[in-house]
Structures are given as C-alpha cells and as structure tokens.
C-alpha cells in the first residue's frame, strides 16, 4: 500500500504541467484522478546540451539494435511518402521508424530522448495541414518520424460499449470490429475510408460527418511526455490497472493483459457528451466545434503530436435499426438554413448525416474524383491506404526526372477514368442541372417520418428547391461522391497546373446562428480566384473551402485577406484538421502545447511556433 501511495504522489507531481482541467462543462472543474491514474519516471533524461549529441550513425545503430534494421528507413527516396504531407508540406528526417509493437515504440522513444532528437509521431498521415510530417530542414536537432500504423490492436471493453485502441488502429478496422456487435465508432464516413487512425483523430480533435458525435475526444489515455527537466515520463490515465512500472504497463497493454469488463472511469469522459446540446443551440454566436476549442483540449485530445500516445479509451455507439437518406437541392441558401434550424430543434433525435456540396464541387468531384469513387465502390476501403502509399512512391520516383510531368500517377489515373461509364445516379445529375446547392441527409429510426414531414412542408410548394428519397444505390453513391470531393480539388489543380495557380484550402466553423452562410468576397479577392469549391458538414456549420487561384496570384496575400474576413464574421479555423504547419496557434493553444511538451521535443513548429529546443522555466 505504501508503494502504491508513493506512486500516486509521483503522478500528482509529474503530471502537474500535463493535465488540463477536465472540461466536462463550460467552466473549469477541479482536477480529479481515477483509481489507477499513475505516472512513471522512465529514468531517461535528455542531454543537457544539443552540442554533444551523438553522431547520426550511432543513433541509427541504437535503433537497429532495439527494433531491427528492417523497421528503419533512412533512405530519403524510399521514405519520402512518410515525410510528405497528404496535400502539401514535408521536410527532412534522419530516419522513419516502423515499430511493430508499443514495446518497440517505447524503446524507440527512449532512444530519442537519450540522444535529444526531435520526435514526429505519425499514423496514417491523412491530415490536410502538414501536422504529421517534418516541415522543412531548419530544425536544431535531428528529426525522427515514428510511424505507428503497424501497432493496430483493438480491445473491446465493457461489453463493447467502449474500445481501447493502440496508436495505429484505424477507424475502418474499428468499424468492422464493432459491426459484429451492432455498434459503431465515432466516425464511419469520409476519413475512415483513407485509413485514418483512431488516435490520429483524437490527437487532432477531428470532427467528421456524423452530426451527433462532435469532435473526436477522450480524457482516458496512456501517453509518454518529456517533462520540464527533460525526463521521459509514462502516464497512465486510462483508468485501468496495468502495473506498477513503465515497462509492466507497456507489456500488459501490448498483450491486452487487463480486465475488460465493468471498468470504471471516474469523472473522465470517453467522448464529447455535451455536443448534442451544443449543436442544438442554433442561436449561439459561437461555432459548435473547432479544432482549438479550449473546452476540448485535454492531454491526448488535441495534442497534435506534442506527446506520444500509446492508447486511448473511447466510447462506441449503437447502430440505428433503420435509416433513410434524402437528396436535397435548392437555389435559395435560406432553404438549407431553415432546414438546419428545424432539424436541430424539432427532432427528438438528431440526424445522422447532413453533408453539403455546391454545384461547382459537384462537377469537379464527378470528373476528377471519379477514380477514387470507383476504387471505393469496386475495391472497398481496405486497400486504399496501401494504394495511396504506392501512389506516393511512384510519384517520388518519377518526380526526380525533370523531363516528365509532375505527379504522373494522377495523370494516368485521370486518363484511365475516362474509359469508365458515367457513375452517378440519374436523379442526382438532374438535380445538379436544376440546383446550385445540394445536401445529402440521413435520418434514423423514429425521426424518419418526422423528417419526411418537414421536407414536404418546406418543398412541396417551393419554386426554389426540391428533394427525393434515395434508394440504397443512390444513397451509397451520393455519399461516395461527397467523399471524393477533397481529393478531386487537388486533382483538378494538378491536371491544370500550367494554366492555374496554387490551391488554397480552408476548413472553417461558422457561428451557429449564421444565416448568411454563403461566402461573398470583395473584388480584390474575387479577381484572384479561378474556382471556389465549397462542401462540408452543414448541420455543424463546418465547411471545407478549396480555392483554385489564378495563375500568378499571391496565395499568402489572398489567404491573409480571406482569414481577416472570416475573423470579422466570427468564424474559427481550422475547424477539424488541426493547425499543423499552416495556421498560427492562438495563445490558449500555444499554452496547451507548451504544457504538454515543455522542452519542445515533439513535433516542434506546429502552430507556427518555434522549432528550437525550449527551457520550460522561461516559457511557462
């Protein structure tokens, strides 16, 4: 008992700068610990000075000794895929590691700390803001990228009502596992098809298409951090007894050697329980969700790789017994505003999905997202992550030759897609011709009939819009068409790179009471735009906005003016893809990052913060 008490005292001391107050409500609560909340000092400490760091070759040999040479890639040509962002960005790294277990992961992090190297944690690398790769080459220490996708174990706990996920497990794998017991994960559409990881979603406070769920969030996790003295600490806030030292915790977690039933969790939450009430408050002057919301920054949640997450515990959700999908089109934006207010305030149960597409992104997605659409339709989602990795390697090889066009794989796939027949249902195409604004709506169980009634009341005598109830094939293809939109915008810019400028991508959260949700620009911005591509999660009032600029337009200046206009409207950005290396972190987010990572050893530079090593005592 004395030993346990001593460990708990260590936990309170070591996590002082790690644990944010649990934001169960709009106000701050007093910090509370679960029965098994424990922090362990690994005994590993960073060198006092970076000037005495071990030579690169010796660092690589240390990794080879612990995890094997076949799990290390130091060849820049071969590891390019893991150093480059999905849309943009990238940088140099001494090596990319592929640990095969969390034991390997723990040993790798210990070596990184011993030799004072930068750690960039990575799973599927599907983020859109360059936050899971190095950025440039101006770091003051060597950079190691640690890819965790091979560590993909999942453990169902509490009769499947919760899941313990290791860092590489994907949403798609979780969706398949939960389907066997008639339950569902936080997100079942969109990024899950690209192989996005559960921990990645938590780390980025990612949102998604499901109206009821809010941002990916948990207060239950196991993670490693480096404290202000430069010592590596393992923290168990999973609410599960895993042992009384770091190595035992890691081993038991790796083996799934822990009680999986009737697990308590104290006051901590495994999802955002307040989101339904928040999104229903349609008259609020603030957004429903955005990435840097201080309410939802808590240890692993929103950490952006500033700690190394070994496991998270998250809630699962019941699967609807019955679902119905509706396709809505209108030429009057106020029609969708009215629908949003009525569906969020009049239904006993919130809609499942409400996805928006503008006509222009409809067209771009139809032509330039066709190969993605067909790949998912014909091959399924399981193969997509490997396909994207292979595509990146092909481009990396051929992009070295100046006489060849860049991104040759995109050009080949775009050419090949022309030989497939038209893939969108007839009624969707007819609505594209008639209407500018489109929404895909999914309702479930007892809300279906009430939803039909609302739609009929709004559109039966309307001259501006209409709707139809989708059959199974139309529903599936409508969601796939929306999913293909993000990649289609990039493909369009790639295919027309000689005649258009850069692509500028924003994801924004509008205030919940914003009636004038359709964007209008002054002439000095409008004149710089070739195409404006709008799509998003309409009920959450979260929009993805891709702008193809005209040739010669100054992307940074256009972005500056756009963000200034968004600030005037009370919007927040980014809404769900993290600040990464593209956005400046605000002061609360900077403070959160600094508390998690006092020495600036994990993913330095995110939020446009400094990349150099930091002395916590002078910064906090």
């Amino acid at each position: 008992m004395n030993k346990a008490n001593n460990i708990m005292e260590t936990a309170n001391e070591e996590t002082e700068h790690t644990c944010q107050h649990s934001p169960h409500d709009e106000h701050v609560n007093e910090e509370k610990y679960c029965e098994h909340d424990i922090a362990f000092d690994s005994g590993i400490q960073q060198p006092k000075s970076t000037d005495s760091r071990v030579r690169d070759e010796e660092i690589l040999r240390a990794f080879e000794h612990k995890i094997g040479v076949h799990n290390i890639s130091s060849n820049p040509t071969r590891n390019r895929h893991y150093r480059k962002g999905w849309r943009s960005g990238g940088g140099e790294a001494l090596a990319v590691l592929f640990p095969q277990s969390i034991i390997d992961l723990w040993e790798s992090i210990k070596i990184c700390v011993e030799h004072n190297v930068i750690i960039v944690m990575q799973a599927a690398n599907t983020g859109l803001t360059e936050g899971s790769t190095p950025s440039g080459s101006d770091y003051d220490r060597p950079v190691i990228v640690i890819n965790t996708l091979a560590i993909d174990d999942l453990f169902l706990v509490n009769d499947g009502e919760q899941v313990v996920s290791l860092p590489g497990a994907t949403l798609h794998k979780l969706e398949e596992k939960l389907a066997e017991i008639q339950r569902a994960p936080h997100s079942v559409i969109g990024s899950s098809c690209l192989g996005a990881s559960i921990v990645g979603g938590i780390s980025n406070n990612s949102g998604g298409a499901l109206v009821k769920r809010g941002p990916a969030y948990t207060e239950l996790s196991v993670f490693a951090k480096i404290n202000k003295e430069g010592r590596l600490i393992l923290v168990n806030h999973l609410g599960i007894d895993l042992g009384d030292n770091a190595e035992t915790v890691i081993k038991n977690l790796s083996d799934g050697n822990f009680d999986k039933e009737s697990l308590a969790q104290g006051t901590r939450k495994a999802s955002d329980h307040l989101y339904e009430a928040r999104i229903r408050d349609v008259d609020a002057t603030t957004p429903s969700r955005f990435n840097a919301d201080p309410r939802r920054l808590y240890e692993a949640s929103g950490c952006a790789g500033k700690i190394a997450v070994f496991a998270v515990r998250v809630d699962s959700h019941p699967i609807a017994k019955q679902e119905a999908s509706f396709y809505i089109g209108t030429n009057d934006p106020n029609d969708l505003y009215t629908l949003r207010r009525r569906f969020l305030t009049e239904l006993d149960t919130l809609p499942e999905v409400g996805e928006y597409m503008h006509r222009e992104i409809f067209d771009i997605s139809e032509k330039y997202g066709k190969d993605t659409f067909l790949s998912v339709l014909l091959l399924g989602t399981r193969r997509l992550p490997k396909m994207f990795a292979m595509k990146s390697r092909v481009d990396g090889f051929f992009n070295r030759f100046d006489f060849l066009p860049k991104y040759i794989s995109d050009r080949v796939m775009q050419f090949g897609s022309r030989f497939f027949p038209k893939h969108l249902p007839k009624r969707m195409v007819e609505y594209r011709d008639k209407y500018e604004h489109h929404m895909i709506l999914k309702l479930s169980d007892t809300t279906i009939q009430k939803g039909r009634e609302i739609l009929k009341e709004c559109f039966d005598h309307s001259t501006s819009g209409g709707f139809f109830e989708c059959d199974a094939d139309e529903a599936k293809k409508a969601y796939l068409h929306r999913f293909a939109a993000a990649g289609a915008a990039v493909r369009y810019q790639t295919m027309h790179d000689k005649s258009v400028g850069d692509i500028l991508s924003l994801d924004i959260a509008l205030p919940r009471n914003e009636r004038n949700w359709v964007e209008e620009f002054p002439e000095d911005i409008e004149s710089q735009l070739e195409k404006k591509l709008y799509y998003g999660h309409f009920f959450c009032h979260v929009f993805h906005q891709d702008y193809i600029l005209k040739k010669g337009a100054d992307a940074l200046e256009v972005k500056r003016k756009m963000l200034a206009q968004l600030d005037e409207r009370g919007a927040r950005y980014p809404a769900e893809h993290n600040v990464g290396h593209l956005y400046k972190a605000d002061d609360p987010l900077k403070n959160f990052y600094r508390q998690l990572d006092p020495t600036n050893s994990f993913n330095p530079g995110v939020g446009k913060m400094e990349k150099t090593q930091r002395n916590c005592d002078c910064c906090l």
Side-chain angles (χ1 to χ4, degrees):
M1 182 62 70
N2 290 335
K3 183 177 181 180
N5 288 337
N6 289 337
I7 292 172
M8 186 58 71
E9 290 171 4
T10 303
N12 291 332
E13 177 184 351
E14 296 295 353
T15 59
E16 179 182 355
H17 291 289
T18 303
C19 300
Q20 297 293 297
H21 291 294
S22 181
H24 305 313
D25 301 302
E26 300 295 332
H27 61 278
V28 170
N29 294 322
E30 180 181 357
E31 179 64 63
K32 296 181 180 178
Y33 289 90
C34 303
E35 179 183 357
H36 300 295
D37 285 345
I38 300 174
F40 304 98
D41 189 330
S42 71
I44 304 297
Q45 187 166 6
Q46 292 174 322
K48 294 294 184 183
S49 171
T50 57
D51 294 335
S52 61
R53 71 189 184 212
V54 179
R55 292 173 54 191
D56 292 351
E57 294 81 1
E58 295 184 44
I59 297 174
L60 292 176
R61 282 200 294 271
F63 288 127
E64 291 173 5
H65 176 68
K66 286 295 183 181
I67 68 173
V69 65
H70 53 286
N71 292 319
I72 302 166
S73 176
S74 57
N75 184 321
T77 301
R78 292 181 179 274
N79 64 29
R80 175 183 177 276
H81 170 70
Y82 304 96
R83 295 183 295 101
K84 185 180 183 301
W86 191 63
R87 276 190 173 177
S88 62
E92 296 180 2
L94 176 60
V96 180
L97 309 184
F98 303 93
Q100 300 299 299
S101 69
I102 57 172
I103 297 172
D104 286 351
L105 175 58
W106 176 241
E107 294 298 329
S108 298
I109 291 172
K110 288 199 294 185
I111 293 172
C112 290
V113 176
E114 285 180 305
H115 299 313
N116 198 18
V117 301
I118 287 168
I119 304 167
V120 176
M121 299 298 300
Q122 180 188 93
N125 192 19
T126 59
L128 302 180
T129 56
E130 307 177 7
S132 55
T133 61
S135 180
S137 57
D138 55 338
Y139 294 96
D140 62 340
R141 293 149 288 168
V143 177
I144 294 293
V145 177
I146 303 181
N147 183 283
T148 63
L149 271 186
I151 314 170
D152 62 350
D153 287 330
L154 294 167
F155 306 103
L156 301 186
V157 299
N158 291 344
D159 293 324
E161 292 185 359
Q162 290 184 325
V163 178
V164 172
S165 169
L166 299 193
T170 64
L171 285 166
H172 180 67
K173 180 175 181 177
L174 178 58
E175 182 180 348
E176 288 187 325
K177 194 174 187 71
L178 287 175
E180 298 172 2
I181 58 171
Q182 295 298 298
R183 294 189 69 83
H186 166 264
S187 179
V188 294
I189 189 175
S191 59
S192 62
C193 296
L194 285 175
S197 70
I198 299 163
V199 167
I202 295 292
S203 298
N204 292 320
N205 278 143
S206 298
L210 297 181
V211 178
K212 302 175 181 179
R213 311 278 168 86
Y217 181 76
T218 187
E219 298 166 10
L220 298 158
S221 63
V222 174
F223 59 92
K225 65 163 292 186
I226 300 171
N227 69 7
K228 63 181 181 179
E229 288 81 27
R231 298 183 73 85
L232 177 62
I233 305 297
L234 182 72
V235 181
N236 176 12
H237 284 174
L238 205 60
I240 301 174
D241 186 0
L242 292 167
D244 59 3
N245 62 71
E247 275 65 29
T248 302
V249 169
I250 294 294
K251 181 67 165 61
N252 285 331
L253 185 58
S254 179
D255 295 343
N257 183 27
F258 53 87
D259 181 25
K260 299 179 180 61
E261 299 302 330
S262 302
L263 294 175
Q265 62 192 63
T267 61
R268 287 195 174 97
K269 305 300 181 186
S271 62
D272 185 352
H273 290 197
L274 297 179
Y275 189 70
E276 180 170 342
R278 189 171 178 82
I279 195 175
R280 285 185 184 275
D281 186 2
V282 294
D283 293 313
T285 58
T286 56
S288 59
R289 59 177 171 89
F290 57 96
N291 174 263
D293 187 349
R295 298 167 55 256
R296 290 298 173 255
L297 297 176
Y298 187 88
E299 297 178 346
S301 295
C303 71
K306 299 299 286 183
I307 54 178
V309 181
F310 285 77
V312 293
R313 183 171 158 192
V314 295
D315 290 332
S316 67
H317 305 270
I319 290 178
K321 296 179 175 63
Q322 183 181 4
E323 292 180 339
S325 294
F326 303 85
Y327 198 90
I328 301 161
T330 183
N331 290 314
D332 183 355
N334 193 57
D335 286 344
L336 296 188
Y337 173 81
T338 300
L339 279 179
R340 177 177 172 272
R341 291 183 65 91
R342 292 196 62 180
F343 277 110
L344 291 180
T345 59
E346 296 180 22
L347 295 183
D348 294 334
T349 303
L350 288 174
E352 300 289 328
V353 174
E355 290 294 285
Y356 169 75
M357 294 183 76
H358 185 268
R359 175 188 281 157
E360 195 155 23
I361 188 61
F362 184 108
D363 292 344
I364 294 293
S365 187
E366 181 180 19
K367 182 174 182 179
Y368 296 94
K370 186 176 181 179
D371 59 306
T372 300
F373 179 105
L374 293 174
S375 295
V376 177
L377 184 68
L378 301 177
L379 301 177
T381 57
R382 183 185 296 275
R383 296 180 177 89
L384 276 189
K386 291 183 178 179
M387 289 171 58
F388 277 102
M390 182 182 299
K391 175 182 178 297
S392 179
R393 286 192 290 269
V394 169
D395 287 336
F397 176 80
F398 285 105
N399 282 353
R400 295 181 300 169
F401 303 104
D402 293 336
F403 62 89
L404 291 175
K406 299 299 182 185
Y407 303 106
I408 196 167
S409 65
D410 286 282
R411 301 175 192 280
V412 171
M413 289 188 291
Q414 186 62 38
F415 178 78
S417 69
R418 297 166 52 188
F419 296 97
F420 287 84
K422 291 185 180 297
H423 58 291
L424 296 182
K426 179 181 178 181
R427 287 199 290 182
M428 278 180 61
V429 176
E430 290 174 348
Y431 264 49
R432 178 265 168 231
D433 294 337
K434 293 173 63 176
Y435 303 119
E436 180 180 2
H437 305 283
H438 299 246
M439 188 164 72
I440 309 156
L441 172 69
K442 181 188 290 185
L443 303 175
S444 60
D445 298 332
T446 58
T447 63
I448 294 174
Q449 184 53 39
K450 176 64 176 177
R452 286 194 187 102
E453 294 170 3
I454 292 175
L455 289 170
K456 289 179 179 178
E457 290 171 11
C458 290
F459 291 115
D460 268 2
H461 303 290
S462 172
T463 59
S464 59
F467 78 96
F468 63 85
E469 187 165 348
C470 302
D471 60 31
D473 182 68
E474 288 171 328
K476 182 176 184 177
K477 291 180 177 178
Y479 295 123
L480 278 180
H481 184 55
R482 162 63 185 88
F483 163 68
V490 178
R491 173 70 60 77
Y492 175 89
Q493 194 275 338
T494 299
M495 298 300 296
H496 297 271
D497 61 341
K498 295 187 184 308
S499 59
V500 302
D502 294 335
I503 181 170
L504 177 57
S505 299
L506 303 177
D507 66 294
I508 68 165
L510 294 177
R512 283 165 279 175
N513 69 340
E514 178 61 77
R515 175 182 290 271
N516 299 315
W517 57 273
V518 176
E519 194 164 50
E520 295 183 2
F521 287 127
E523 178 58 26
D524 63 333
I525 296 179
E526 191 72 38
S527 63
Q528 304 298 305
L529 306 180
E530 182 75 23
K531 286 190 177 295
K532 298 179 293 186
L533 308 175
Y534 298 115
Y535 50 103
H537 317 303
F538 193 77
F539 287 112
C540 298
H541 247 24
V542 167
F543 295 88
H544 302 292
Q545 303 180 171
D546 293 335
Y547 306 95
I548 310 297
L549 304 184
K550 291 186 177 179
K551 200 71 172 178
D554 185 336
L556 292 178
E557 179 62 14
V558 172
K559 182 178 180 179
R560 185 190 67 78
K561 292 179 179 180
M562 287 181 173
L563 295 184
Q565 180 170 306
L566 289 171
D567 291 339
E568 292 177 0
R569 299 175 68 192
R572 297 300 299 264
Y573 50 84
E576 58 181 12
H577 288 299
N578 207 301
V579 291
H581 290 280
L582 295 183
Y583 295 90
K584 183 178 180 180
D586 60 18
D587 288 341
L589 186 58
K590 286 180 180 178
N591 291 336
F592 175 65
Y593 288 162
R594 286 171 177 156
Q595 287 175 338
L596 290 178
D597 183 23
T599 64
N600 205 25
S601 298
F602 287 93
N603 212 10
V606 291
K608 297 189 178 296
M609 296 172 66
E610 68 275 13
K611 291 183 175 180
T612 53
Q613 192 158 18
R614 191 167 54 226
N615 181 339
C616 176
D617 291 334
C618 70
C619 297
L620 293 178

